[in-house]
Amino acid sequence: MTMETTISEYLIQSLQKAGVEHIFGIPGDYVINFFSELENSPLKTIGTCSEQGAAFAADAYARINGIGALCITYCVGGLNTINAVAGAYAEKAPLIVISGAPGVCERNSGYLLHHSIRDLDSQFNIFKEVTVAQCRLDDPLNAAYEIDRVISACIKYKRPVYIELPRDMVHSKCVIPPPKNEILSSKNTDIFNEALKETVAMIKASKKPIIIGGVEIRRYKLQKEFLKLLENTGYPYVTTILGKSIIDESHPQFYGVYMGKIGDPEVRKYIDESDCTIILGALMTDTNMGTAQLDISKTIYATADKFCIKHHYFNDIDLGEFIYRLAQELESEKKENLFNKKINNNSEFVIQPENPITIQRFFERLNSFIPEDNIVVCDVGDCLFGSSGLTIPKNTSYLGPAYYTSMGYAIPATLGVLTKNPELRPIVIVGDGAFQMTGHELSCFAHYNLKPIIFVLNNKGYTTQRYLKDGDYNNIQDWSYHLFPQIVGDGLGLEVKTERKLEEALLKAENNIECFTIINVHLDKYDKSDTLGRLTTIFGKNIV
Ligand SMILES: Cc1ncc(C[n+]2csc(CCOP(=O)(O)OP(=O)(O)O)c2C)c(N)n1
Ligand SMILES: [Mg+2]
């Protein structure tokens, strides 16, 4: 038994080993000692204006990097992150939350300790609901084991975990666990082979198969296996909105984004007419499936947690291995010209200079503005719905909270993206309502000299909600979003009302390599994309 390392040293080493290089957060007295340890370590701390901002940033960092981390103080900081951590749970982002806490020796002091709620377990209990594993490092004998257990769960389940570090344990020496032997998989090969055989038979008997790819393809880094399957079969594929751009949308077999009844009708028609829908790594959510009832008798459904063919359920099927083996089995099955390739909507945009800009025209124009090797970050609202039809170019990815749909994601998420890849110039699209929730995190772009191009779709309120039920509650104050650079001390602000002004702004943004650009795009308050139109017709019926 060796006790050469402190708990904080072991935690920092474990974060590094897992792939964390940056940690987002705000200090407080319960966590300041650990912040000081972080500062003296190879990990870089990234400060934000609020803990929610830090959590959204860490979530996006996790999605891009494969794992992310967040460090905050007890309750006032921790509870500020709950909404964002819940989003990470819902959408499977592997995020490690580290919170400071009252010291072990303080627990029985007899005082009411500042920031605490009902008792000193309250925050721990609240985090149980939004994380897959939790631990409190209050015992030097098992602290390191607990760190290993919890971080392994984060990696395995691609969901947030919670580590609570009492402030008097930061420098405690801990017992280092012996190196673990690789545990060989004990998965049942008979079950796997039966599932594979049944899948292959169903696909071979079909005439119009199609693949729906979801977010787990990216989370579990299965793009190579997915591509091989496409290559070996020639089948068309669509993605869900949460899985948008899992692989290049320039791929010749890409047929669009499937959002059921709310999405592109042409894509929906193809899925409806297919006699074999192969769903890989997609979450069955209302936003992904757009309330469409897929015919289970035509469906193969494989995710990291669940596998079924029609109504036959199989346990313990590894998603990656399944896609890999399926590609092998179907190697000689290649069906050419199975579908007419959907024409990319990159048709030439002819500007109508004096026309007020509309959301439809904005996205049409944006289609040819998004460069290769970049990222598009979207918030919730019509920016999400409208952007579902964007054709994302080569090596560019798309990031948006398309299932949990919490407003306020995009600006801090962009910080997370840029912390990992500071050379990128992300295209960020955010509604005015969502911007008002977390837009102050722009300050970090000035602070860390990051250069995204941000479009604020300023329709003077909650247009998505206007179509569900209108009322004064949907109107918000019309901010001068383009003047934010004056407040935060850096950045280029531009204002756009017509197509001509949009054109000019795009050029200026492209040429501005010094700082971030924020473009205030004025839209009519009732202007909506086709997708939002379909969505509100369907969901509006449920709101009586
Ligand atoms: C944190 C949060 N609060 C409330 C909602 C409910 N909601 C969904 S869309 C929306 C309006 C979004 O407004 P804005 O960002 O301006 O986008 P727009 O609909 O105008 O395009 C609201 C309030 C939400 N999704 N998230
Ligand atoms: Mg709005």
Side-chain angles (χ1 to χ4, degrees), residues 59-67 221 375 397 399 416-417 420-421:
D59 164 298
Y61 182 94
R63 294 180 198 214
I64 301 293
N65 181 51
I67 192 147
K221 297 192 170 73
I375 184 160
S397 48
L399 183 63
V417 168
K420 175 68 189 166
N421 295 313

Side-chain angles (χ1 to χ4, degrees), residues 415-537:
L415 172 67
V417 168
L418 284 168
T419 300
K420 175 68 189 166
N421 295 313
E423 74 293 348
L424 289 183
R425 300 196 61 207
I427 306 296
V428 187
I429 316 168
V430 53
D432 50 346
F435 185 90
Q436 291 196 6
M437 292 192 176
T438 57
H440 54 277
E441 300 292 357
L442 275 185
S443 170
C444 304
F445 304 146
H447 194 65
Y448 295 108
N449 191 26
L450 303 169
K451 298 156 193 169
I453 299 173
I454 301 143
F455 296 91
V456 181
L457 303 186
N458 180 1
N459 49 20
K460 326 299 182 270
Y462 304 146
T463 296
T464 302
Q465 306 291 317
R466 289 191 199 286
Y467 283 95
L468 298 177
K469 201 159 250 188
D470 208 0
D472 196 36
Y473 44 75
N474 288 325
N475 297 320
I476 62 172
Q477 183 66 14
D478 181 8
W479 290 4
S480 297
Y481 303 97
H482 53 288
L483 297 184
F484 253 75
Q486 289 181 22
I487 298 171
V488 301
D490 199 10
L492 170 69
L494 302 164
E495 195 174 17
V496 162
K497 290 185 177 163
T498 60
E499 293 196 2
R500 182 201 304 280
K501 283 286 176 196
L502 177 65
E503 227 35 62
E504 288 170 13
L506 294 179
L507 195 65
K508 284 183 187 158
E510 223 163 22
N511 291 336
N512 172 27
I513 49 166
E514 297 300 322
C515 51
F516 74 84
T517 306
I518 178 165
I519 306 174
N520 181 1
V521 184
H522 289 273
L523 297 165
D524 184 83
K525 67 187 220 180
Y526 288 105
D527 191 11
K528 62 177 188 308
S529 68
D530 290 348
T531 309
L532 177 58
R534 287 187 292 265
L535 173 119
T536 48
T537 312

